[in-house]
Amino acid sequence: MDSAGQRALASRREQFKNFAATTGAKAGDRRKQQAVTVGKDRREAMVRAKRIRRDMDDGLARGEMQGEQADEAALATSVKEAVEALRASKGKDGALVALRQLRKLLSVGQYPPVDVAVAAGAVPLLGEALQFGVSGPEQLLEAAWCLTNIASGDTDQATAVLPTAPLLIAHLQGRALDVAEQFAWALGNLAGEGQELRDVLLANGALGPLSARVAETERPGSTLKQTAAWALSNLLKGPSQKAASEAIKNGPLINALVAGLDGGSPALVTEVAWILTYLAAGPEAHADRLIKLGALPPLVRHLVTATEKHVVIPVLRAVGNVVSGQDSKTDAVFVAAPGGAGSVVAALCRCLQSGERTLQKEAAWAVANIAGGTLQHKQAVATPDVIAAAARLLQEAAFDVKKEAGFALANMCAAPGGGGAVVLSHLEAVVRAGCLPGFLALVRSPDQEAARLGVQFAEVVLRALPNGRGVKLVEEADGIDALESLQYHGNDELRNMANSLVDRYYGEEYGMEEEGLEEGSKAVQQDLPAWRNPGGMRT
């Protein structure tokens, strides 16, 4: 994107901040960071990012262990014995028996004993089994399965598998579907660990083979395409745009993604939508290419019609990333929707009204991005139902959802072009919905971005509502106390903003009574508003 486009985008995402002409971290940066992060909760993220493969046809893998194997110490001993058997194995048949036993042991329980296998030296032996010409398809499958489950462990265990990455990548091409899928699965677990491991995989050329497996024709009964798409999404995510910038140029891959959205199973649609999420999080040119190649119609159709949470979340985030760009991107989303803008807004409203925190947060973020656009975009999302749903989240939801709902409501009220102008009808509707107390609660938040948002909204209410109505509403909602809570804040900007509002709207002698006025100062006190006089009452 050129510098002019970047400035326009930053202005779009930061319109509400223009009310008070504040400085600090750009809203666009915050949106960007969210766009490329699966979630702040690492455990929740890793549930999707890493997967253990179990063999549900095998009693041992189901945890139906008998006798001494039910004991954890005995299980560890069995793993060590399996590793030693692999080390001592002669010929392909002996290796296959040892690999199969190790694989079964590494598929036991919720947390298989992968640490024991690593400590016993399993990974180098498994790497030897991957050498070309050493093993047949069955041995390759068993070895890759073992490495997959080891890589599903913690950072140290995944890192231990990393030296086998070149062979995992090499075997991904030209193998039978079940074998190739297992190699894709192992690479997906490695890529899910973090950016450092992703960088190693990219340096070893993982992007091309994974993309090729996603782009190839789907085979009946095969889940290779789905698994490869999941692994590819893990490779693309994160703050680095290197992989996404290469993938977006791959025409066959993008065409395959569009086809997967159009006619794939819900599981494939989910993985494809995650890929599109990370691609659309990049420069404007990425979204332009996705639009050009026809990704929006099936993507938006799923947003409007899908009901499964695992499908809606990545679809919603992908659409949210598209509308976080220039105004033309929001127009394109509205045009692509089967029912126009109204169907998109209705789908977002359903997500806001759901009991699912992730859906609520993603929908609020998407609404905030749309509301940061043209007047028509603001009018499209500023419906009574959307405002009511966002107002409820601002008052009752978890803090991160509250903040996103606050940005959505605030952006509805900011007139396009910034400069402090207000869409008065939207502001009136937001205030009528009972949002002012929620914004004032943000003022007291230790989160400086949220506190700034709350102060800015209070300033808009004080300034923009006619006939001094805003001054009274803020006072009745204990807004004075909220603003006073910032009078000693460590952030100069917040402190000055709050003090300036109190001085301007509630008397310039703010704070004098706390300093202890002398008897001769009573004439000054009489000039203050009644609620500022010592002993006075608030009406």
Side-chain angles (χ1 to χ4, degrees), residues 12-264:
R12 166 185 169 82
R13 292 170 173 173
E14 215 180 45
Q15 284 195 27
F16 190 71
K17 293 193 172 190
N18 290 334
F19 276 137
T22 62
T23 58
K26 299 292 186 184
D29 293 340
R30 184 178 70 91
R31 301 276 183 235
K32 181 70 173 179
Q33 182 179 8
Q34 182 180 349
V36 299
T37 305
V38 172
K40 293 181 180 180
D41 187 332
R42 177 172 172 81
R43 182 174 181 181
E44 179 182 348
M46 295 305 284
V47 168
R48 217 203 77 79
K50 289 188 167 190
R51 300 172 178 176
I52 296 174
R53 182 177 180 184
R54 307 186 189 281
D55 185 353
M56 300 315 296
D57 292 330
D58 184 86
L60 183 59
R62 291 197 304 269
E64 297 175 358
M65 302 179 64
Q66 304 296 323
E68 76 279 358
Q69 287 185 320
D71 181 76
E72 185 174 332
L75 177 60
T77 299
S78 297
V79 170
K80 294 175 185 176
E81 290 174 350
V83 173
E84 286 305 315
L86 178 59
R87 182 176 286 113
S89 63
K90 303 294 183 182
K92 293 182 179 181
D93 290 340
L96 178 58
V97 172
L99 286 168
R100 185 172 290 150
Q101 179 64 15
L102 181 59
R103 181 262 296 170
K104 291 179 180 180
L105 293 166
L106 293 178
S107 302
V108 171
Q110 185 175 4
Y111 301 104
V114 297
D115 54 336
V116 178
V118 171
V123 174
L125 296 174
L126 294 168
E128 291 177 10
L130 297 185
Q131 296 291 333
F132 282 87
V134 172
S135 302
E138 288 183 287
Q139 292 93 332
L140 287 174
L141 177 62
E142 298 289 355
W145 194 329
C146 291
L147 290 168
T148 296
N149 286 2
I150 293 173
S152 72
D154 61 25
T155 300
D156 290 340
Q157 292 154 6
T159 302
V161 175
L162 198 56
T164 69
L167 287 167
L168 293 172
I169 295 168
H171 282 295
L172 185 60
Q173 309 172 75
R175 291 292 175 185
L177 298 183
D178 58 340
V179 178
E181 180 175 9
Q182 197 59 63
F183 284 102
W185 198 330
L187 291 170
N189 277 347
L190 289 176
E193 178 54 44
Q195 190 61 50
E196 185 176 346
L197 271 66
R198 284 193 286 273
D199 288 341
V200 174
L201 294 178
L202 289 169
N204 280 276
L207 182 62
L210 278 175
S211 298
R213 285 300 193 176
V214 174
E216 70 182 21
T217 303
E218 183 78 271
R219 310 282 182 88
S222 171
T223 55
L224 171 58
K225 193 181 190 79
Q226 174 187 325
T227 300
W230 164 75
L232 181 59
S233 72
N234 275 355
L235 196 63
L236 293 174
K237 72 182 179 184
S240 173
Q241 284 294 310
K242 181 179 179 181
S245 296
E246 289 299 316
I248 198 71
K249 302 173 186 175
N250 188 330
L253 170 63
I254 305 302
N255 290 334
L257 297 177
V258 174
L261 283 178
D262 221 6

Side-chain angles (χ1 to χ4, degrees), residues 440 443-444 454-456 458-459 462 474 478-488 494-495 497-499 501-502 505-506 510:
L440 293 174
V443 172
R444 301 178 185 274
V455 172
Q456 290 169 338
E459 188 274 335
L462 290 167
V474 170
D478 288 331
I480 300 163
D481 286 341
L483 294 171
E484 284 179 343
S485 71
L486 299 179
Q487 63 179 319
Y488 300 116
L494 279 175
R495 182 178 65 250
M497 287 168 60
N499 290 343
L501 291 179
V502 173
Y505 292 100
Y506 300 104
Y510 163 71

Side-chain angles (χ1 to χ4, degrees), residues 449-462:
E449 185 180 41
R452 183 180 296 108
L453 175 64
V455 172
Q456 290 169 338
F457 190 83
E459 188 274 335
V460 172
V461 172
L462 290 167

Side-chain angles (χ1 to χ4, degrees), residues 16 364 367-368 371 386-394 402-414 426-427 430 433 435 439 457:
F16 190 71
V367 170
V386 171
I387 291 176
R392 187 161 49 253
L393 295 179
L394 180 62
K402 283 180 189 280
K403 191 163 76 168
E404 290 299 340
F407 273 102
L409 292 162
N411 279 352
M412 293 177 192
C413 303
H426 293 177
L427 178 61
V430 169
C435 295
F439 278 105
F457 190 83

